[in-house]
Amino acid sequence: VIEVLSPRDESRKKLPFYAERGISEAWLVDPVTRAIEVYVLRGDVYFTALPGRSGIIEAPRLALELAVVDGPKLRVAWDGGSADV
């Protein structure tokens, strides 16, 4: 699931609903800063995927690496390629 945040957003309140349905990964994206939060389901609880030293967040379900880069843009990288959005 990918949620784009908005003013007075309630996306985080939806996480228990997604967990109950077995959604293995949830992303929350700020449309202005491109900052991203990735939540990974383990059992019936979401855990936050924290960025590594280089600021890269791993999204394991889709085997992607995510990072905010100049622009600001969100860099999505996969084995053999990448794109800035």
Side-chain angles (χ1 to χ4, degrees):
V1 168
I2 300 173
E3 292 261 353
V4 178
L5 301 175
S6 61
R8 295 179 299 280
D9 190 80
E10 296 185 1
S11 293
R12 287 173 192 82
K13 292 181 181 179
K14 297 178 188 176
L15 291 175
F17 172 82
Y18 294 143
E20 288 173 5
R21 278 138 190 86
I23 304 300
S24 60
E25 200 167 279
W27 300 5
L28 304 182
V29 182
D30 184 308
V32 175
T33 66
R34 300 300 199 265
I36 188 164
E37 300 170 31
V38 174
Y39 296 90
V40 179
L41 188 64
R42 293 198 182 114
D44 59 355
V45 177
Y46 279 112
F47 291 86
T48 305
L50 299 174
R53 278 187 265 144
S54 59
I56 294 172
I57 298 174
E58 292 189 28
R61 178 73 175 142
L62 299 176
L64 298 174
E65 293 181 343
L66 309 164
V68 176
V69 296
D70 289 339
K73 294 184 177 186
L74 178 62
R75 176 163 294 150
V76 181
W78 57 91
D79 188 25
S82 68
D84 292 350
V85 293

